[in-house]
Amino acid sequence: LETRLPRTNLLVFRNASGKISPVTTAADWAKRRAEILQGMQRVMGPLPGPEKRCPLDPQIIEEVDCGNYVRRSITYAAEPGGRVPAYLLIPKRALNGTEKFPAVLALHQTHPAGQKVVVGLGDSPNDEYGVALARRGFVVLAPPYTMLANYWPDLKALGYASGTMKSIWDNMRGLDYLSTLPFVKTNGFGAIGHSLGGHNAIFLGVFDERVKVIVSSCGWCPFHDYYGGKIAGWTSDRYMPLLKDKYELNPDLVPFDFYELVAALAPRTFVS
């Protein structure tokens, strides 16, 4: 299905005969949601499957005492041949008892320091939401975005059509890693981000329903509203080059839009 359903009405779907019909049941919406995910993957490339879910092999590089929490510099294996550098913030109460704590992925904006900015190691104090959450009792994982700061995986060698999908997969594996920690609640996670981090929180939430709360600060707008529909800014290798190579930089041809992604987060909590 190369064309998107009518942009004026989310509550329609294609029935078994291909006819556009109104959504009247949860099952109908599930079909519509599946089409949204298919549209994303036509632009971002396919979501990896079990073949990439190798052992995480987490390694602690450094641990720093930050008062009421500790900051660990870690790496984990997102896939065979690919390790992700990240920061893990842990409230000391989580290390000193048997209580389990909620966990959040804190995703950074476009910044030369990458994931450092959300854990207090950059020059942007307004972006230190990872620190704020750790001080409030959350376990926080701050992974990098593909092809920024110190993280430059070889996308072609790893089989990705976009940096967007690579980062979605890395973040999903980050949730896998959080799930292994004995002090983390595993019945649902949060994802928060500003700008680049804001739309990546949405992307992650769409593909991974373990994320129950999504916070996107300045993270999205419809493609037609992005510089008046001039979407070339989305087409570098770190984002979605197929928007140029396959969809001619034409928002009318792109088989998904952001308002559909937000709808696909339902019935979970979304704050924007």
Side-chain angles (χ1 to χ4, degrees):
L1 300 174
E2 281 299 318
T3 57
R4 195 164 62 244
L5 287 166
R7 68 179 70 248
T8 56
N9 188 355
L10 281 171
L11 294 179
V12 294
F13 76 108
R14 287 186 177 88
N15 63 23
S17 64
K19 180 181 177 181
I20 296 175
S21 302
V23 169
T24 59
T25 67
D28 292 344
W29 173 248
K31 295 173 183 176
R32 175 70 152 113
R33 189 180 188 280
E35 289 187 2
I36 293 169
L37 270 67
Q38 290 168 10
M40 294 174 73
Q41 291 175 88
R42 285 199 293 275
V43 177
M44 301 174 181
L47 181 72
E51 73 283 354
K52 284 188 177 286
R53 220 173 215 111
C54 64
L56 288 160
D57 184 30
Q59 298 176 14
I60 299 173
I61 309 302
E62 180 186 43
E63 181 169 302
V64 178
D65 189 323
C66 297
N68 63 348
Y69 69 94
V70 298
R71 182 184 68 238
R72 290 178 179 172
S73 174
I74 68 165
T75 67
Y76 59 88
E79 59 195 304
R83 294 192 68 83
V84 178
Y87 289 101
L88 181 68
L89 310 185
I90 312 169
K92 286 183 178 177
R93 289 186 294 135
L95 296 174
N96 297 332
T98 59
E99 182 183 358
K100 292 183 181 291
F101 289 74
V104 178
L105 252 64
L107 306 178
H108 64 85
Q109 66 153 300
T110 304
H111 191 287
Q115 68 272 30
K116 289 184 177 182
V117 298
V118 300
V119 299
L121 294 175
D123 58 0
S124 184
N126 290 333
D127 287 317
E128 295 177 1
Y129 35 90
V131 173
L133 288 166
R135 288 174 175 164
R136 295 178 185 181
F138 289 84
V139 176
V140 179
L141 181 67
Y145 187 80
T146 300
M147 301 172 76
L148 278 175
N150 64 335
Y151 186 55
W152 291 77
D154 187 332
L155 298 179
K156 289 184 179 180
L158 292 170
Y160 289 93
S162 72
T164 298
M165 184 53 74
K166 170 58 174 163
S167 288
I168 291 168
W169 181 249
D170 288 351
N171 293 339
M172 291 177 70
R173 294 292 279 155
L175 296 183
D176 292 345
Y177 170 63
L178 288 172
S179 297
T180 69
L181 301 176
F183 44 79
V184 165
K185 293 181 178 180
T186 58
N187 60 342
F189 300 98
I192 184 173
H194 173 65
S195 190
L196 170 71
H199 53 254
N200 280 284
I202 294 172
F203 296 157
L204 174 64
V206 172
F207 281 108
D208 198 319
E209 295 189 51
R210 291 177 294 178
V211 182
K212 303 301 183 185
V213 179
I214 302 95
V215 181
S216 177
S217 166
C218 301
W220 69 284
C221 68
F223 282 125
H224 283 81
D225 293 333
Y226 181 82
Y227 292 101
K230 297 177 182 178
I231 60 174
W234 285 101
T235 63
S236 68
D237 288 347
R238 75 167 58 137
Y239 299 126
M240 295 172 274
L242 287 179
L243 288 174
K244 175 179 63 178
D245 299 339
K246 186 176 181 180
Y247 295 102
E248 304 173 6
L249 299 177
N250 186 346
D252 290 329
L253 300 180
V254 180
F256 77 91
D257 211 332
F258 278 91
Y259 53 84
E260 295 176 308
L261 309 191
V262 171
L265 298 173
R268 292 164 290 162
T269 300
F270 175 67
V271 181
S272 179

